[in-house]
Amino acid sequence: MGKNILHYFFIIVLAQIMLSCGGQKTSSLEERFGPRPSLSLYEDNATNSEKIDWRQEIVYFVLIDRFFDGDPTNNAAGNANSHVLFNPKLNNTQALKTYQGGDLAGLLEQLPYLKGLGITTIWLSPIYDNSNEPYFGYWAYHGYHPRDFYKVDEHFGDMELMKRVCDEAHNLGLKIVLDIINNHTARDHPFVSDPTLWRDQGYNKWFHAHDKKGSFTDIRNWKSQREVEEGELAGLPDFDQDNPHVYDYLLDVSKYWISNLGVDGFRLDTVRHVPKDYWQRFNADIKAFAGDDFLLLGEVFENNNRYLKQYKNLGFTSLFNFSLQSAVIDVFTKGASMTRLSEEIGNLINFYDGDELPALFIDNHDLTRFRYLAGDEQYRDKLRMALTFINTLNGLPLLYYGTEIGLEGGPKTDPFTGEGSDYLNRKMMDFGREERENRFDNLTHFTRTLNYVRRENPVLYKGSILELYRDKLAYVYAKIDASQIAIIAINNYSEARYVDLPLAPGFLVPYLDEKVPSQIPGIEVSGTPPGAPTAAVEWFQGKLINTSLKKDGESLKFTLQPYSADVFIFPNTFGYEMGSSQNFSTDESSFSIEPVKVKFNFKTPRTDISKIVIRGAFNDWGNGKEYILEFNNETQAWEVEIPLNPGDYAYKFVIIKVGGGEDWISDESASKFENDGFGGQNSVIQVRR
């Protein structure tokens, strides 16, 4: 039996009856902590069924409102302003700030698609009943502004439909993970918005300082951990988790959803904004209630591994690895050195030495989509390289809906206004687009095959890792366990690469000598993944793109095609172990590329110029090498040529004035701009080969 807004109504009525009858004197605990929550009794949900090994799982994140519209009657849910349909032809992107129609009926209809994609677990955005009013122009389509923690939002469906989703998913062998909020509520949650509850009943004691008229209680000093935990995110009322009544309430909410739906885990939102001792207690209580294998996926939104280390050993099953995600973006969309990936693999080995798994991802709803950052050229190849990389590491891969069709995104912030524009990376899923376009390099088939290959080859998700070769744009590494050896070769360059890799004594030699003296086969797939054409499987075998791997004496010779990633898997029939390995050449100087020479031009009629320089991300905004522009009498422009590696660089021209002083000026001829954080704009140059 669900709880809804009537639950809060009865609290008010009961309070009024007690007041009219004289009531009893408020206890000292209630004076200090506010009212006690009304708790339900739930039986432990832990079972003796086969335990889930989350290393074997592949998670697909569904933003419910943007996935599939299965019931158009609930699109506006009684409020026409909450639903304005986005039309790509009109490019009315502001409509993406409202509900777009995705719902639980649509998810139920698309469960067979997700099963066929080869994922094993569905992470759902919050299903709570959300705010009934826009927040600074945004409706809570995303689910993160809850006003009733015990009810399904009317735009999505109801509790019975949610139960059907969970039951059918489980029937298909899929697991369900709910997104759970322990940090805040919506501003129109009755605890906050109803004066009787907030003031008279003392629910204000459940929250940290809250300014109902503005955002003066927002987090301002992000370096202060206390402020990060006790301040408000964008003015959302912030729970005081040190209050024992708040703890009991939030734990009750979580048990409610586990008991009613039988879900398999939680994605825990805004972990860094909640005290660590709360998480240690909460995680232990949830696992005692639901079982040790209940997934607790913690989102610590920080790409500093030293900061993340504070959240180790608190009972999380997995922690988001934003540091690795940042490296993936730098390498595959900006052309950074493969050293970035090598460093992050080292961090994985050193950091995740306990029970926690790294959550591996290339983007999500809070970030700019990989597709947008990769640009229109080669974005498919870059996406394949990035996905192959994270899916051959130990951890828990997270796939953002739409990645498998190359769904478009946009900048995280508006380059002109500085306003957040996450909604551009949350467009409606376009089912079947790859098939309609009839592309030979179908991303959906690729994703399906990659998921299949990871699931069927344990070495990819639990093997030890050994770096074999690395230079600026090529990377070769091995995964090894008792039964398999995998070699992964990546070439992030626009031309074919030829890599000659000396073999350590005994490494792969028995297999090569006995089985295939000259040519190593690719992955031997037993059967074909559902819906995947033969060509999709052959992509991994190297046949489709003609990547080859040969043995020549005591070395392996790779021929890597442009912008490619290949996986080769062999049986470990000769008992090769990591302990007998040796260090391989990883010489950065073994391959070099010429930087791209970029010419900058600046015209101005000003006469108060002592000199003009250019400052940007490429010279640490003037703290590195100084680039001075020279005046060209022929073009009547100030010019400078700078060698730059591929990537995106923000910059400005700086006029050093006669008599002192500087003026920082954007390049009006640039094709891209971004907010500079000071009310102006940086120009952005995109350097590509």
Side-chain angles (χ1 to χ4, degrees):
M1 180 173 64
K3 300 181 181 179
N4 55 31
I5 199 66
L6 291 176
H7 175 77
Y8 309 117
F9 172 76
F10 289 134
I11 292 177
I12 299 172
V13 173
L14 179 62
Q16 290 174 338
I17 293 173
M18 292 179 65
L19 288 172
S20 64
C21 297
Q24 293 185 353
K25 187 175 181 181
T26 305
S27 72
S28 59
L29 279 177
E30 290 174 338
E31 287 178 352
R32 181 179 177 187
F33 299 119
R36 298 174 183 270
S38 175
L39 304 178
S40 303
L41 295 176
Y42 302 111
E43 295 182 2
D44 287 356
N45 208 57
T47 66
N48 294 320
S49 59
E50 184 177 350
K51 298 298 184 183
I52 301 171
D53 182 353
W54 288 101
R55 296 177 301 174
Q56 302 178 25
E57 301 299 311
I58 301 171
V59 180
Y60 186 98
F61 175 38
V62 170
L63 190 61
I64 297 172
D65 180 63
R66 303 299 157 93
F67 197 56
F68 190 72
D69 186 358
D71 181 8
T73 65
N74 63 17
N75 288 357
N79 190 330
N81 293 326
S82 70
H83 171 63
V84 179
L85 195 63
F86 170 65
N87 186 336
K89 294 181 179 179
L90 299 177
N91 198 33
N92 58 333
T93 55
Q94 294 297 304
L96 293 169
K97 295 181 179 180
T98 72
Y99 288 88
Q100 293 300 296
D103 49 32
L104 295 175
L107 175 60
L108 185 64
E109 187 174 336
Q110 293 297 336
L111 286 177
Y113 165 82
L114 293 175
K115 176 67 175 180
L117 192 61
I119 60 95
T120 64
T121 300
I122 305 169
W123 154 26
L124 295 179
S125 57
I127 59 175
Y128 307 126
D129 184 23
N130 265 255
S131 177
N132 290 331
E133 56 189 32
Y135 188 59
F136 295 107
Y138 294 78
W139 287 85
Y141 64 86
H142 44 67
Y144 292 96
H145 292 182
R147 70 180 309 275
D148 189 339
F149 285 89
Y150 292 94
K151 182 183 176 185
V152 174
D153 192 272
E154 61 272 18
H155 292 87
F156 303 150
D158 56 28
M159 191 65 167
E160 289 307 311
L161 187 53
M162 186 62 211
K163 288 180 179 179
R164 286 182 60 196
V165 168
C166 290
D167 290 345
E168 183 58 26
H170 287 150
N171 289 338
L172 291 172
L174 298 171
K175 301 167 186 66
I176 295 289
V177 171
L178 292 186
D179 209 317
I180 294 293
I181 299 167
N182 287 260
N183 179 65
H184 59 266
T185 70
R187 291 170 70 94
D188 60 342
H189 190 292
F191 288 170
V192 179
S193 62
D194 189 304
T196 303
L197 293 177
W198 176 259
R199 183 184 60 250
D200 300 340
Q201 290 303 300
Y203 278 95
N204 60 320
K205 296 182 176 67
W206 279 31
F207 296 86
H208 293 122
H210 174 60
D211 172 28
K212 293 188 178 183
K213 297 181 180 179
S215 58
F216 297 107
T217 48
D218 278 1
I219 301 167
R220 297 184 182 278
N221 180 8
W222 287 84
K223 294 183 179 180
S224 167
Q225 186 62 29
R226 179 175 178 178
E227 190 168 334
V228 166
E229 293 177 0
E230 297 183 4
E232 294 183 334
L233 279 172
L236 296 171
D238 191 80
F239 277 124
D240 179 2
Q241 289 84 6
D242 291 330
N243 184 324
H245 295 174
V246 170
Y247 181 85
D248 290 343
Y249 173 76
L250 293 174
L251 184 64
D252 185 75
V253 168
S254 295
K255 289 182 176 181
Y256 171 81
W257 292 107
I258 296 171
S259 296
N260 279 277
L261 299 177
V263 295
D264 305 285
F266 290 153
R267 181 266 189 183
L268 300 165
D269 185 56
T270 54
V271 165
R272 66 179 298 201
H273 298 282
V274 175
K276 288 177 278 295
D277 56 354
Y278 172 91
W279 289 121
Q280 190 162 30
R281 181 184 176 191
F282 176 87
N283 291 344
D285 284 346
I286 289 296
K287 288 188 175 182
F289 180 77
D292 288 338
D293 60 340
F294 189 85
L295 178 68
L296 294 171
L297 172 58
E299 182 226 24
V300 182
F301 205 137
E302 172 60 59
N303 65 6
N304 184 327
N305 281 316
R306 285 175 294 181
Y307 181 90
L308 187 63
K309 194 171 185 178
Q310 303 174 74
Y311 297 89
K312 283 173 59 67
N313 304 316
L314 297 182
F316 294 105
T317 315
S318 180
L319 291 169
F320 279 69
N321 195 301
F322 283 93
S323 180
L324 179 69
Q325 186 271 340
S326 178
V328 167
I329 294 299
D330 286 348
V331 169
F332 295 114
T333 73
K334 300 178 181 179
S337 171
M338 289 291 179
T339 299
R340 292 278 283 118
L341 300 185
S342 176
E343 292 170 346
E344 288 303 325
I345 287 177
N347 289 335
L348 292 180
I349 295 171
N350 294 326
F351 182 86
Y352 294 95
D353 54 356
D355 295 329
E356 301 101 338
L357 292 172
L360 311 167
F361 58 102
I362 65 173
D363 56 14
N364 63 29
H365 60 312
D366 290 324
L367 302 169
T368 304
R369 277 196 182 268
F370 183 97
R371 158 75 190 272
Y372 176 80
L373 295 172
D376 289 333
E377 289 189 42
Q378 280 88 39
Y379 83 84
R380 290 171 172 271
D381 294 330
K382 294 175 182 179
L383 187 59
R384 279 190 285 264
M385 287 188 290
L387 289 176
T388 300
F389 175 68
I390 68 167
N391 276 278
T392 54
L393 299 179
N394 296 357
L396 183 64
L398 311 178
L399 183 66
Y400 186 30
Y401 85 95
T403 300
E404 74 273 26
I405 63 169
L407 193 61
E408 298 83 358
K412 195 172 185 299
T413 57
D414 188 293
F416 299 102
T417 66
E419 177 192 36
S421 52
D422 286 338
Y423 54 88
L424 295 177
N425 296 290
R426 303 170 181 173
K427 294 179 180 176
M428 202 71 180
M429 176 66 179
D430 187 3
F431 286 93
R433 183 168 73 179
E434 292 289 275
E435 286 71 20
R436 290 195 305 273
E437 294 182 359
N438 195 28
R439 299 187 61 98
F440 76 93
D441 55 350
N442 187 304
L443 280 175
T444 306
H445 290 161
F446 164 80
T447 305
R448 180 182 295 120
T449 305
L450 181 60
N451 290 338
Y452 175 87
V453 170
R454 178 179 172 89
R455 291 194 343 260
E456 295 300 311
N457 293 278
V459 69
L460 296 179
Y461 58 77
K462 66 179 183 179
S464 300
I465 194 164
L466 178 66
E467 189 172 87
L468 302 180
Y469 176 86
R470 165 172 49 86
D471 61 33
K472 287 182 173 64
L473 295 174
Y475 198 26
V476 183
Y477 54 95
K479 296 291 295 298
I480 302 170
D481 68 9
S483 60
Q484 292 179 307
I485 294 178
I487 294 181
I488 300 91
I490 302 173
N491 176 25
N492 190 28
Y493 189 48
S494 58
E495 298 177 9
R497 296 291 313 284
Y498 306 95
V499 176
D500 191 343
L501 178 66
L503 286 171
F507 182 70
L508 286 181
V509 172
Y511 179 76
L512 300 181
D513 286 344
E514 296 173 11
K515 301 290 184 181
V516 276
S518 61
Q519 180 70 43
I520 298 177
I523 291 173
E524 297 179 359
V525 179
S526 56
T528 302
T534 304
V537 178
E538 289 179 347
W539 189 92
F540 283 91
Q541 296 175 320
K543 296 177 183 177
L544 187 62
I545 57 175
N546 299 315
T547 294
S548 65
L549 172 59
K550 297 181 179 181
K551 176 179 177 286
D552 182 7
E554 295 300 307
S555 70
L556 295 178
K557 292 187 179 297
F558 293 84
T559 302
L560 306 178
Q561 294 302 307
Y563 296 121
S564 64
D566 291 277
V567 182
F568 303 88
I569 296 181
F570 326 98
N572 190 359
T573 57
F574 45 89
Y576 184 84
E577 297 179 358
M578 285 293 292
S580 60
S581 66
Q582 68 178 38
N583 292 327
F584 292 85
S585 170
T586 57
D587 184 6
E588 283 279 334
S589 64
S590 62
F591 176 71
S592 60
I593 55 174
E594 290 296 323
V596 178
K597 294 181 179 179
V598 181
K599 180 174 284 189
F600 294 87
N601 301 278
F602 179 63
K603 291 186 177 182
T604 177
R606 291 176 54 163
T607 59
D608 62 338
I609 299 172
S610 173
K611 65 178 178 179
I612 301 178
V613 299
I614 185 170
R615 295 174 183 167
F618 42 72
N619 66 347
D620 196 17
W621 295 97
N623 294 315
K625 182 176 180 179
E626 183 175 59
Y627 295 105
I628 302 174
L629 282 74
E630 300 291 339
F631 188 74
N632 186 325
N633 286 311
E634 184 176 340
T635 62
Q636 292 294 295
W638 297 82
E639 300 175 350
V640 66
E641 188 174 79
I642 304 176
L644 295 175
N645 288 323
D648 292 3
Y649 302 93
Y651 68 96
K652 277 188 176 180
F653 296 116
V654 182
I655 295 178
I656 312 298
K657 297 187 290 186
V658 175
E662 299 178 349
D663 287 337
W664 292 61
I665 303 171
S666 300
D667 183 357
E668 295 180 355
S669 66
S671 59
K672 187 177 179 181
F673 299 88
E674 68 176 20
N675 177 34
D676 65 4
F678 300 97
Q681 298 179 83
N682 292 324
S683 304
V684 178
I685 179 107
Q686 296 178 296
V687 181
R688 302 289 186 265
R689 295 194 187 283

